Amino acid sequence: MKTIIVFLLSYLSAFAGDTNEIHVGTRTDTKISPGHLVTYEEFTRNGQTNLVRVTLTKDGVTNSITHNFYHHGAFLGRYSKVGAFTLVSSAADAPCALAFVWDATNQIRSASVTTNYVTLDLFTFTNGIFYPVASSEIEESNKKTKDILHR
């Protein structure tokens, strides 16, 4: 069962990661927390890590999932789901802002890394998991922001 879960997680991550210039590396560990499977997924854009996802499962059930956000090697913050609890934290002295967007029903929709009104990185949230978006979407977002600021 663990093999199937690892394969599915790897396949889904690789599918999302192969779009554009985003790459993902996946590894698993069963020694850190006996009886649990810990899966690490590291997403990179143009060679720079921008997201590290850590998923803890036991008997095929996800116990926790943590998304660690980075920009140019600097840790920016974390979004974690542990059981019924959601934890959001930011890093002190981060070189840029990490922002999260919730909709009117309090469902998380996205995360962005910005500085001076420029989007540096963007993540979509689907089925409880953040994924980096293609650079073309970031460029489009910046174009719209520039158009608004120059009105």
Side-chain angles (χ1 to χ4, degrees):
M1 184 64 164
K2 287 181 185 177
T3 305
I4 293 171
I5 292 169
V6 171
F7 173 75
L8 287 174
L9 286 172
S10 298
Y11 176 76
L12 290 173
S13 296
F15 180 77
D18 282 341
T19 58
N20 209 342
E21 71 294 339
I22 301 165
H23 299 281
V24 63
T26 303
R27 69 180 175 89
T28 58
D29 194 328
T30 56
K31 297 177 184 173
I32 289 177
S33 184
H36 291 84
L37 177 66
V38 182
T39 303
Y40 300 89
E41 298 164 282
E42 182 176 352
F43 292 83
T44 60
R45 179 188 308 276
N46 299 326
Q48 292 284 326
T49 298
N50 64 355
L51 175 65
V52 175
R53 182 184 310 132
V54 181
T55 306
L56 181 69
T57 58
K58 182 175 182 174
D59 300 325
V61 177
T62 300
N63 293 333
S64 70
I65 187 163
T66 299
H67 297 84
N68 298 299
F69 296 89
Y70 297 84
H71 185 70
H72 290 299
F75 176 67
L76 303 177
R78 176 176 293 135
Y79 177 94
S80 299
K81 185 78 171 166
V82 181
F85 298 97
T86 301
L87 309 159
V88 179
S89 62
S90 60
D93 299 325
C96 40
L98 173 64
F100 296 94
V101 176
W102 279 267
D103 67 14
T105 63
N106 287 329
Q107 298 298 311
I108 189 82
R109 292 295 175 209
S110 64
S112 64
V113 176
T114 60
T115 186
N116 298 324
Y117 301 105
V118 175
T119 300
L120 304 172
D121 217 336
L122 193 57
F123 305 86
T124 187
F125 189 80
T126 306
N127 297 324
I129 299 174
F130 282 100
Y131 293 98
V133 302
S135 289
S136 60
E137 290 183 49
I138 296 170
E139 291 169 12
E140 183 63 27
S141 173
N142 283 328
K143 183 182 179 312
K144 288 178 183 177
T145 301
K146 184 178 177 183
D147 291 344
I148 290 169
L149 292 175
H150 287 71
R151 286 185 187 173

